[in-house]
Amino acid sequence: MARELITREALERIVQRAAELQAHEQDVGEGLTRDEVLALGKDVGIPARYLQRALIEEVTHTGLAPERAILAWLVGPAALAAARVVPGDRAAVERALGVWFEQEELLQLKRRHADHTTWEPKVGAFASLQRALGAGGKTFALARAAEIAVSVTSLESGFCHLQLRADIRPLRRKRLAGVIALLGLGALVTTLAPVLGALFPWLLLPGAVLALAALAYGRGHRRDNERIHVGLEQLLDRLERGESEPEARLAGPGVSALGRIADELRTLINPGTPPRA
């Protein structure tokens, strides 16, 4: 038992619970000052540099307010967001993001604003084929969003606060259209059931089944949105650990688009096959 490994999820719960127990033993009143938080962290053995970064993330937190409407519950929110304090200056972080978006997520720059930049999925047959085939084993989750907005704010001590916001309104509209279509079909079948000779309560059955199908289809947004949100968090993880530079693409810049398509197909059919020289 003593040598059993504790999983990451269990470790997070243990640390959170230990922090709660520690806080209950001390009189925090309405809250603690920054210095008191650092002192408390020292008491429990948390290095000050980690607490300072956590404090910065909390102060600069600008997450999206949860939507309360029935529409958001049924077909999901209009946007997803993730934010983190990452090491590096603003120029380096933006440069790393640009390389990653272009090479690993098949995004292209849309607009540069004073306080943020926006990216959108690349267009063209080659990009569409890569996404459809999952070239290189990638999911291209961020390319499912209509737009990715990036805001980088310089902080003290060589850190930046990075916020990513994914606009997923087109996905929500598509899902809402599917819900409406299923409900409309259910209403039509229920209306025509008496004409076709169906008797009560059987005439209500098709409408009820299609209504449940519409509900299940709409609520399926959680699975799709999770993929995008995980993609945002994974990118932040890489930046936080300094792993944001993607590997060089297999096909060089001198290879034609047709040649790159052939290389991608060859790699998918025979994994490990090197590209053409």
Side-chain angles (χ1 to χ4, degrees):
M1 179 67 180
R3 300 191 59 177
E4 288 185 4
L5 293 178
I6 299 176
T7 65
R8 182 183 181 89
E9 293 78 9
L11 178 61
E12 292 176 353
R13 291 194 299 268
I14 292 170
V15 172
Q16 181 179 3
R17 181 55 180 159
E20 292 174 354
L21 294 173
Q22 174 74 13
H24 287 321
E25 291 182 359
Q26 300 191 17
D27 183 14
V28 299
E30 295 297 325
L32 297 175
T33 65
R34 182 188 183 95
D35 291 338
E36 289 172 339
V37 171
L38 294 175
L40 180 60
K42 183 178 180 180
D43 290 341
V44 298
I46 301 176
R49 65 181 184 275
Y50 296 133
L51 275 175
Q52 288 171 345
R53 288 180 61 180
L55 283 168
I56 292 174
E57 290 183 8
E58 181 62 28
V59 171
T60 55
H61 177 70
T62 54
L64 297 174
E67 298 183 41
R68 305 290 185 182
I70 185 65
L71 183 63
W73 176 85
L74 179 61
V75 293
L80 300 172
R84 194 88 55 85
V85 172
V86 298
D89 57 53
R90 179 176 178 178
V93 171
E94 289 181 338
R95 183 168 57 252
L97 278 171
V99 173
W100 186 266
F101 281 157
E102 290 179 355
Q103 296 189 9
E104 300 299 310
E105 293 292 345
L106 293 182
L107 303 180
Q108 62 187 11
L109 183 65
K110 183 178 181 180
R111 292 193 63 187
R112 291 189 185 275
H113 302 270
D115 58 344
H116 71 281
T117 58
T118 56
W119 295 76
E120 63 183 358
K122 284 184 180 180
V123 296
F126 180 57
S128 299
L129 183 62
Q130 283 183 296
R131 286 193 288 264
L133 297 178
K138 301 180 181 68
T139 60
F140 304 108
L142 300 187
R144 294 174 59 83
E147 178 182 282
I148 303 292
V150 178
S151 177
V152 184
T153 305
S154 298
L155 301 173
E156 56 186 352
S157 304
F159 289 94
C160 290
H161 179 262
L162 171 61
Q163 179 170 5
L164 304 173
R165 183 180 185 276
D167 181 358
I168 55 173
R169 285 176 295 182
L171 289 177
R172 183 163 82 160
R173 286 195 294 266
K174 178 181 178 181
R175 195 163 291 278
L176 180 60
V179 170
I180 293 175
L182 287 172
L183 291 177
L185 179 61
L188 178 62
V189 171
T190 301
T191 302
L192 294 178
V195 179
L196 298 175
L199 300 177
F200 186 85
W202 302 110
L203 60 87
L204 300 178
L205 183 60
V209 170
L210 288 171
L212 290 175
L215 178 62
Y217 178 75
R219 293 291 290 167
H221 72 81
R222 294 174 295 178
R223 179 185 62 256
D224 296 334
N225 292 353
E226 181 66 18
R227 292 175 58 188
I228 298 175
H229 191 261
V230 168
L232 296 176
E233 292 290 350
Q234 286 177 338
L235 177 53
L236 292 176
D237 290 341
R238 290 180 177 274
L239 286 166
E240 189 176 42
R241 296 192 300 262
E243 303 174 358
S244 56
E245 292 294 339
E247 297 179 359
R249 304 299 291 173
L250 293 178
V255 181
S256 66
L258 184 59
R260 284 183 289 166
I261 292 176
D263 285 338
E264 294 289 352
L265 290 174
R266 187 181 299 108
T267 302
L268 288 170
I269 296 173
N270 299 305
T273 302
R276 296 179 305 170

